[in-house]
């Protein structure tokens, strides 16, 4: 729990950490506090997003027809640098899982985000990183490095570790952003925190693809279908695999994002296997039984660029 940084404190902390800062006109008083009657803070952590678009700095400031801006505290361009967008409450997190917020407060490993029961806009700083988030759009090393410095600046100011950092995909069911691995990102921030501010670590950190653990995914594909509708065994991995199946057209978007490897996901995965292994058996134990294998999962991750596989 902490009192939010003032506008001047934020600027000073970012600059001390080594960031060059651009200021969107009006950012110092741009927030959702008075419109919602809810004051920003106390703050419990920082949240990382990708924008799922390009050239969206203005959208992040102004908002969309269904969601007024600011949509973040900072916007980080692919090559346009770090921009101040808002100061105070911002519409970036939405409703999030209160258990995950409690873990951020306690700096404990994050539990599964299986509920959206808590106002995240009240308690989290938000960074939107300009990236399509399709797994193919690269994060330039300099952009990723600036994201690490931004998160480190907040942690250093509040005397938090990187355990106070989460990705949107880790706090709200169905979200897949950011499209890089958050464990690697947190390790990169901890490395930065171990140095003096303004002394960037070398070599520069680089983003990693999220990883899907094959054995945990197989557990989910076996445990979820016979269980109650929506049963969740391995949310993070299943969400990535479902997003990949949607991308290749094997699964309808409406079925993705609940983190459950249910019968619809089994059927979609079987379609992928039949495409990879024409004529394969769909019987239990067959190469097209809908249970992921190392080869099919690796190919799915590569084709979509959404994840790599730990086997
Ligand atoms: Zn997001």
């Amino acid at each position: 729990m902490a009192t939010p940084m003032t506008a001047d404190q934020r600027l000073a902390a970012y600059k001390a950490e080594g960031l060059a800062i651009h200021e969107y006109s009006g950012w110092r008083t741009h927030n959702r506090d008075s419109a919602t009657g809810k004051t920003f803070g106390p703050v419990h952590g920082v949240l990382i997003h990708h924008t799922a678009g390009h050239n969206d700095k203005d959208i992040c400031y102004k908002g969309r027809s269904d969601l007024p801006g600011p949509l973040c505290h900072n916007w980080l361009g692919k090559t346009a640098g770090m921009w101040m967008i808002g100061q105070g409450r911002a519409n970036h997190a939405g409703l999030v899982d209160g258990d995950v917020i409690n873990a951020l407060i306690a700096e404990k490993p994050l539990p599964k985000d299986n509920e959206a029961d808590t106002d995240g806009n009240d308690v989290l700083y938000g960074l939107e990183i300009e990236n399509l988030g399709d797994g193919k759009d690269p994060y330039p090393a300099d952009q990723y490095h600036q994201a690490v410095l931004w998160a480190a600046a907040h942690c250093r100011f509040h005397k938090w570790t990187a355990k106070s950092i989460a990705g949107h995909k880790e706090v709200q069911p169905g979200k897949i952003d950011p499209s890089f691995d958050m464990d690697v990102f947190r390790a990169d921030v901890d490395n930065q925190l171990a140095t003096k501010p303004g002394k960037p670590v070398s070599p520069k950190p680089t983003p990693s693809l999220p990883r899907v653990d094959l054995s945990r995914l197989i557990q989910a594909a076996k445990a979820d279908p016979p269980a109650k509708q929506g049963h969740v065994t391995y949310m993070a991995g299943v969400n990535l695999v479902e997003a990949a199946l949607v991308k290749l057209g094997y699964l309808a978007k409406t079925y993705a994002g609940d983190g459950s490897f249910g019968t619809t996901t089994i059927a979609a995965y079987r379609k992928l296997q039949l495409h990879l292994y024409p004529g394969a058996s769909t019987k239990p134990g067959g190469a097209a039984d809908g249970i992921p294998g190392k080869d099919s999962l690796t190919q799915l991750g590569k084709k979509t660029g959404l994840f790599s596989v730990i086997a």
Side-chain angles (χ1 to χ4, degrees):
M1 182 180 296
T3 304
M5 299 157 85
T6 66
D8 286 338
Q9 284 170 334
R10 283 176 60 205
L11 280 181
Y14 299 155
K15 285 175 184 169
E17 206 65 53
L19 283 165
I21 296 294
H22 307 276
E23 301 186 50
Y24 202 109
S25 174
W27 74 270
R28 282 172 176 271
T29 53
H30 192 39
N31 57 58
R32 298 288 303 155
D33 293 55
S34 57
T36 59
K38 295 176 187 166
T39 310
F40 182 54
V43 280
H44 299 318
V46 298
L47 198 62
I48 307 296
H49 308 259
H50 65 231
T51 61
H54 270 164
N55 298 321
D56 36 25
K57 178 173 84 239
D58 291 344
I59 295 172
C60 281
Y61 186 90
K62 291 170 190 155
R64 308 185 304 251
S65 56
D66 61 329
L67 194 66
L71 303 185
C72 55
H73 294 96
N74 286 82
W75 178 86
L76 173 56
K78 219 171 169 64
T79 55
M82 180 68 76
W83 286 75
M84 306 300 286
I85 297 293
Q87 169 66 23
R89 187 183 167 87
N91 273 331
H92 68 97
L95 286 176
V96 303
D97 190 323
D99 299 327
V100 179
I101 296 293
N102 286 334
L104 286 171
I105 294 170
E107 298 208 318
K108 292 213 169 114
L110 303 181
K112 274 179 239 155
D113 55 342
N114 52 9
E115 291 174 297
D117 57 0
T118 300
D119 179 4
N121 295 332
D122 240 9
V123 295
L124 298 167
Y125 299 106
L127 175 66
E128 282 285 0
I129 304 175
E130 181 190 16
N131 188 280
L132 293 179
D134 60 2
K136 300 225 161 82
D137 187 17
Y139 295 83
D142 197 46
Q143 184 192 33
Y144 180 79
H145 184 224
Q146 289 180 77
V148 170
L149 294 178
W150 179 88
H154 289 266
C155 292
R156 205 186 293 278
F157 181 91
H158 290 299
K159 301 190 168 54
W160 294 336
T161 72
K163 289 198 176 76
S164 288
I165 301 168
H168 205 189
K169 62 186 172 187
E170 296 175 307
V171 303
Q172 187 182 98
K175 290 288 177 186
I176 60 158
D177 63 318
S179 56
F180 50 72
D181 189 275
M182 283 305 298
D183 289 329
V184 173
F185 183 81
R186 278 184 283 267
D188 290 334
V189 171
D190 271 334
N191 283 342
Q192 175 65 25
L193 289 171
T195 71
K196 291 212 168 77
K199 286 261 162 72
V201 290
S202 96
K204 268 190 187 177
T206 48
S208 299
L209 276 182
R211 292 160 297 184
V212 174
D213 186 320
L214 176 64
S215 56
R216 292 184 65 196
L217 190 71
I218 291 172
Q219 274 174 19
K222 289 183 173 166
D224 290 348
K228 215 173 73 190
Q229 169 95 29
H231 183 267
V232 167
T233 306
Y234 177 33
M235 173 165 279
V238 172
N239 274 343
L240 282 166
V241 169
E242 288 187 334
L245 290 169
V246 168
K247 203 167 163 181
L248 296 187
Y250 296 120
L251 179 67
K253 203 169 181 185
T254 43
Y255 294 110
D258 65 353
S260 175
F261 207 112
T263 48
T264 314
T265 311
I266 292 278
Y269 204 91
R270 189 181 293 130
K271 280 190 217 160
L272 164 74
Q273 289 170 321
L274 283 172
H275 179 80
L276 295 174
Y277 322 119
S281 166
T282 57
K283 296 207 174 84
D289 63 354
I291 306 289
K294 187 178 174 188
D295 179 68
S296 60
L297 189 64
T298 304
Q299 292 207 49
L300 180 63
K302 279 206 180 121
K303 270 180 204 275
T304 56
L306 286 178
F307 58 86
S308 61
V309 176
I310 317 172

